[in-house]
Amino acid sequence: MTDITKLREDICRFARALHERGLTHGSTGNISVRTPDGGLLVTPTGSSFLTLDPARLSRFDAELAHVEGDKPTKEMPLHRAFYDTRGTAGAIVHLHSCHSVALSMMPDVDPNDFLPHLTPYPIMQLGRVKLLPYFMPGDAAIGDAIRGLAGKRSAVMLANHGPVVAGKSLEAAVYAIEELEAGARLAMMTRGLSPAGLSDGDVAALVSKFDVEWGD
């Protein structure tokens, strides 16, 4: 099995798992992964994570010209922006997960630190998540907003839309975006109940111990 073949199968396997667990639905969500030659494999526009065909994934060369497969997701501007600004990005996952979208619409959310500090794992895997304003899906302005972060965040939340996470590998990006949704779900479940979250000292200790990229 070639590296490209394995990447194709991995994308479809992880995508199906995300869909089956209800983390995205219908034909929503998109994934991209760096290939060994510096190009990309990308899920096609209008496709369902449940029924992706490895042979029909969109393939881009090292100059990011579309060379094979179906037409790519309309969210290519956000994928390109992450790859352009984060040299460590090996994969990007974007979902329309319900609890994170719900939390993005709450009036008192901190745009610079989207998830409340309730448990350690979102901090360890994501650092601080930046909440970006609403943009129409596919709008090139999403890419501009991500570039404006200068690569300092591995994850952003698109208000009224969904989370986007960049990881060193596809596996890392999938696990991190699952943690983002779990953190948002916990935040919504405990909303208005005055939960006892982590202290500033607890957060600082996690950032130091696990070398978390905390961002500006």
Side-chain angles (χ1 to χ4, degrees):
M1 182 184 297
T2 66
D3 289 343
I4 291 291
T5 299
K6 184 177 186 307
L7 284 176
R8 289 179 180 274
E9 293 184 354
D10 285 349
I11 289 170
C12 296
R13 176 169 57 88
F14 276 113
R16 185 179 184 89
L18 289 167
H19 193 288
E20 288 178 340
R21 294 202 296 279
L23 293 171
T24 202
H25 54 275
S27 62
T28 64
N30 37 82
I31 294 172
S32 65
V33 179
R34 277 288 188 196
T35 56
D37 62 1
L40 295 175
L41 285 172
V42 184
T43 53
T45 186
S47 59
S48 169
F49 275 16
L50 193 61
T51 56
L52 289 175
D53 180 347
R56 297 180 62 178
L57 296 178
S58 306
R59 186 173 180 181
F60 290 75
D61 63 19
E63 284 70 46
L64 295 190
H66 184 210
V67 295
E68 184 182 8
D70 291 350
K71 184 179 178 180
T73 172
K74 62 180 171 293
E75 302 290 8
M76 281 303 295
L78 72 82
H79 289 263
R80 289 175 182 265
F82 260 119
Y83 289 118
D84 287 348
T85 56
R86 287 187 65 84
T88 60
I92 293 159
V93 180
H94 168 44
L95 302 178
H96 293 187
S97 42
C98 289
H99 293 90
S100 54
V101 174
L103 186 60
S104 79
M105 296 185 282
M106 297 297 102
D108 56 348
V109 171
D110 182 353
N112 202 44
D113 198 3
F114 173 63
L115 292 175
H117 304 152
L118 298 176
T119 65
Y121 289 95
I123 295 166
M124 293 160 58
Q125 293 197 36
L126 297 156
R128 285 194 293 179
V129 178
K130 181 74 172 183
L131 175 62
L132 296 178
Y134 170 75
F135 297 97
M136 184 181 294
D139 191 338
I142 300 175
D144 295 338
I146 292 170
R147 284 191 175 85
L149 300 175
K152 295 177 181 178
R153 303 295 180 99
S154 68
V156 300
M157 181 65 207
L158 306 177
N160 306 76
H161 185 163
V164 188
V165 173
K168 291 183 179 179
S169 66
L170 175 58
E171 183 178 59
V174 167
Y175 291 168
I177 204 165
E178 286 183 295
E179 196 63 55
L180 195 161
E181 173 64 6
R185 181 181 181 185
L186 187 59
M188 292 300 295
M189 289 173 62
T190 59
R191 192 167 183 82
L193 300 178
S194 300
L198 303 179
S199 69
D200 290 346
D202 293 332
V203 174
L206 288 167
V207 170
S208 176
K209 172 71 174 178
F210 295 98
D211 195 26
V212 175
E213 185 180 13
W214 200 232
D216 294 337

